Amino acid sequence: MSQDKLTTASGRPYAENENSQTAGARGPILLQDYILHEKMAHFNRERIPERVVHAKGSGAHGTFTVTNDITKYTRAKIFSQVGKQTPIFLRFSTVGGEKGSADTERDPRGFALKFYTEDGNWDLVGNNTPVFFVKDPKKFGDFIHTQKRDPQTNMKSPTMMWDFWSLNPESLHQVLILMSDRGTPYGYRHMHGFGSHTFSFINNDNERFYVKFHFITAQGIKNFTDAEAAEMRSKDLDFSQRDLFENIQNGNFPKWHMKVQIMPEAESKTYHINPFDLTKVWPHADYPLIDVGVIELNRNPDNYFQDVEQAAFAPAHVVDGIGYSPDKMLQGRLLSYPDAHRYRLGANYEQIPVNRCPFAVRNYQRDGQMRIDGNGGSNPNYFPNSFDNVVADQSYKEPAWELDSLVADWYDRNAEGENDHYTQPGNLFRLMDDEAKKNTINNIVGAMSGITGPKRSEIINRQLCHWFRADISLGLGIAQGLQVQIDPAMMGAHQK
């Protein structure tokens, strides 16, 4: 078996990797020991900034295979024929915890997909829930601050969380899901994934349809109870990572069925629910799930940092036949996600192998740190020019958008007609079986019991009003668990 020589980063072979060069056996280290400097300087720089959100993650490579023809809705080449297979990379994550936190915390889970298509990379960046806590991106940073650490104590604060949620009843739908046992999934294999936002499809006739993406786990839903999740956190901070890695390593490849909901563009103007409100779902009775294909994870990364830590997803990265929508949260993410990656990984982050499009990339972006793709060689760095043959292909042009208004203003996202935050959470609770209802109430009671400080009663009562508006039995169960005397006005709040 041939042996490889040990070298510096510049390729110079060297012989001494364990002892520094010194003036005598017991003397000081010489400044000229460059090997020592190189090793320590690189070691000092091994940690890049962790993601502000979704820091704790796991990922794997796999495939997407089309199983049903949806070409009447979209001209995206990834869906062009049944049986077509596309390479993918999928990263799972928790949301609020740091990189070293437990991956069984009560938290939403990120579900970020990268499809390596011949028309470019398509990133579908969602969660394991079909809704989110807020409906306008201006609130996002404030919300995330409440899920992180108190600026004074540097500890997680239930008071911060529930204060924000109680002041933003639009959060109720997502909070109820979070407080159910789906807030503590049994690893990543046993949960659904969602694109969450409303996106658009464009077909060969330039017709636009609005679409929501669903990924239904083939392994079946399986969750920890709150007690089981707490026990696992004390045993194994990396349970979800271990479960995913070992199952793939052992050939037990997890799968999800991709399905879509389709809404014709004209119906978006008359449907009784705002179809672009991220705190709402489209009822399946109105827009049933349509089969599309299957994703399978079948290869673990050879190096976690290279693929999982450096993987960068952005909902701005769509391909021909897939587009955006007026979803306000989606619109905000189109800017913020690529900006976050440039901060963490540099302006050329899309040249990192896990992010690189495996097909031709032609543009006039040049220079910047860590440019490693040839930097355009001797080709011109401006457009248009008389020297290369790069063209803007008009066949990829999308149909024009018809805007709702010519008036630009700051509109209240929770104005009359947009402020029903209670019907869908109430319906969800009423769909639960008795055990799920009991666990959800216990989980909420446990979480709200952590509210402290002089505003404790005010925050609890404000949040209780929201629970009562969603469902009286839900409000009663939580109030009793918190030993709160029920104000008759609070029970009648659901009618307001």
Side-chain angles (χ1 to χ4, degrees):
M1 181 176 170
S2 61
Q3 293 182 316
D4 296 325
K5 294 179 181 178
L6 181 67
T7 75
T8 65
S10 62
R12 168 193 166 193
Y14 64 96
E16 186 52 76
N17 196 35
E18 295 183 89
N19 299 296
S20 301
Q21 189 177 32
T22 58
R26 297 189 177 185
I29 293 174
L30 299 185
L31 185 62
Q32 72 179 30
D33 191 345
Y34 168 74
I35 309 301
L36 169 64
H37 301 324
E38 179 175 284
K39 289 184 69 175
M40 289 305 300
H42 192 278
F43 177 79
N44 291 344
R45 292 161 176 81
E46 281 183 357
R47 296 294 172 263
I48 63 174
E50 69 173 36
R51 289 168 169 86
V52 178
V53 288
H54 298 277
K56 178 71 178 272
S58 303
H61 298 271
T63 56
F64 165 70
T65 306
V66 179
T67 58
N68 187 44
D69 183 2
I70 60 167
T71 53
K72 66 180 179 180
Y73 301 119
T74 176
R75 66 190 185 212
K77 292 178 183 175
I78 186 174
F79 304 123
S80 61
Q81 63 186 60
V82 172
K84 182 169 184 175
Q85 197 167 85
T86 300
I88 65 166
F89 185 79
L90 172 54
R91 184 179 186 269
F92 306 96
S93 56
T94 54
V95 175
E98 298 90 355
K99 191 171 182 295
S101 61
D103 58 19
T104 45
E105 293 282 358
R106 181 171 301 281
D107 205 5
R109 300 296 189 273
F111 195 99
L113 277 158
K114 188 180 293 289
F115 299 85
Y116 301 96
T117 91
E118 63 264 51
D119 258 354
N121 291 348
W122 170 35
D123 291 348
L124 189 58
V125 194
N127 284 325
N128 69 328
T129 60
V131 295
F132 194 61
F133 296 93
V134 293
K135 60 171 76 174
D136 192 290
K138 270 192 177 177
K139 292 185 177 184
F140 181 75
D142 297 291
F143 162 65
I144 292 299
H145 283 167
T146 71
Q147 306 301 296
K148 294 291 188 175
R149 295 182 178 274
D150 183 283
Q152 180 184 25
T153 67
N154 197 42
M155 295 186 289
K156 293 292 185 76
S157 169
T159 305
M160 289 166 54
M161 295 182 192
W162 288 104
D163 189 35
F164 182 88
W165 289 335
S166 68
L167 290 166
N168 288 275
E170 68 200 71
S171 299
L172 199 70
H173 198 174
Q174 174 77 314
V175 172
L176 182 63
I177 298 173
L178 178 63
M179 290 297 150
S180 75
D181 285 344
R182 293 205 182 196
T184 48
Y186 187 91
Y188 297 127
R189 296 180 303 118
H190 293 279
M191 66 182 196
H192 298 332
F194 301 88
S196 301
H197 296 291
T198 300
F199 293 89
S200 58
F201 273 163
I202 299 166
N203 66 14
N204 283 318
D205 295 323
N206 258 3
E207 296 174 309
R208 180 179 280 110
F209 300 85
Y210 289 115
V211 56
K212 283 187 177 288
F213 294 96
H214 301 247
F215 298 88
I216 307 303
T217 175
Q219 291 70 239
I221 289 287
K222 185 178 180 181
N223 300 307
F224 285 118
T225 64
D226 191 59
E228 291 167 343
E231 182 181 5
M232 184 54 69
R233 289 196 295 273
S234 69
K235 289 181 178 179
D236 186 356
L237 294 175
D238 304 314
F239 168 81
S240 299
Q241 163 74 10
R242 194 180 315 281
D243 177 75
L244 180 70
F245 186 91
E246 291 182 350
N247 272 277
I248 294 174
Q249 201 78 345
N250 293 333
N252 183 26
F253 301 145
K255 296 180 180 180
W256 287 259
H257 298 281
M258 180 198 277
K259 300 175 185 287
V260 292
Q261 289 177 287
I262 299 290
M263 178 185 291
E265 184 177 21
E267 293 183 20
S268 70
K269 304 178 190 305
T270 58
Y271 191 55
H272 68 281
I273 296 170
N274 179 352
F276 312 117
D277 181 348
L278 186 56
T279 66
K280 304 288 193 302
V281 297
W282 298 356
H284 291 191
D286 294 339
Y287 298 99
L289 295 179
I290 299 170
D291 289 328
V292 180
V294 177
I295 61 172
E296 177 186 87
L297 299 182
N298 49 35
R299 179 166 65 89
N300 282 315
D302 292 328
N303 184 276
Y304 177 91
F305 180 88
Q306 173 183 273
D307 288 355
V308 183
E309 191 64 18
Q310 292 192 120
F313 305 85
H317 297 161
V318 294
V319 294
D320 184 53
I322 303 171
Y324 312 131
S325 82
D327 180 331
K328 304 299 183 295
M329 287 297 292
L330 172 60
Q331 295 277 319
R333 294 175 83 200
L334 300 181
L335 172 70
S336 63
Y337 272 61
D339 187 53
H341 304 324
R342 294 181 193 109
Y343 155 70
R344 291 184 65 242
L345 302 168
N348 293 311
Y349 72 91
E350 289 181 270
Q351 294 175 36
I352 297 171
V354 70
N355 301 322
R356 187 173 60 222
C357 174
F359 301 93
V361 175
R362 298 284 185 270
N363 57 47
Y364 297 89
Q365 297 173 9
R366 299 289 190 269
D367 308 345
Q369 289 185 334
M370 301 300 290
R371 187 83 199 200
I372 49 86
D373 67 343
N375 200 33
S378 60
N379 296 316
N381 62 354
Y382 61 94
F383 180 89
N385 66 76
S386 305
F387 304 99
D388 66 23
N389 60 353
V390 178
V391 297
D393 189 339
Q394 295 305 306
S395 68
Y396 286 91
K397 185 175 176 61
E398 294 187 3
W401 285 92
E402 182 181 327
L403 300 180
D404 276 355
S405 172
L406 295 176
V407 180
D409 203 347
W410 289 266
Y411 295 93
D412 182 358
R413 300 285 166 246
N414 294 301
E416 194 67 33
E418 300 281 354
N419 58 353
D420 180 4
H421 311 303
Y422 308 107
T423 298
Q424 289 199 352
N427 289 341
L428 176 61
F429 181 74
R430 289 183 284 274
L431 280 174
M432 296 179 183
D433 60 31
D434 290 342
E435 182 180 3
K437 287 180 178 178
K438 177 183 175 184
N439 288 349
T440 300
I441 289 172
N442 288 340
N443 294 339
I444 294 170
V445 170
M448 290 184 65
S449 295
I451 301 172
T452 59
K455 299 284 187 176
R456 182 177 188 273
S457 294
E458 179 183 331
I459 294 170
I460 286 177
N461 287 335
R462 188 164 55 221
Q463 185 63 39
L464 275 175
C465 282
H466 299 320
W467 293 128
F468 273 110
R469 285 186 174 104
D471 184 271
I472 289 180
S473 63
L474 173 61
L476 279 173
I478 296 168
Q480 290 168 358
L482 291 171
Q483 299 181 329
V484 173
Q485 192 68 32
I486 304 302
D487 185 338
M490 192 180 294
M491 287 190 65
H494 72 286
Q495 298 174 340
K496 296 179 182 177

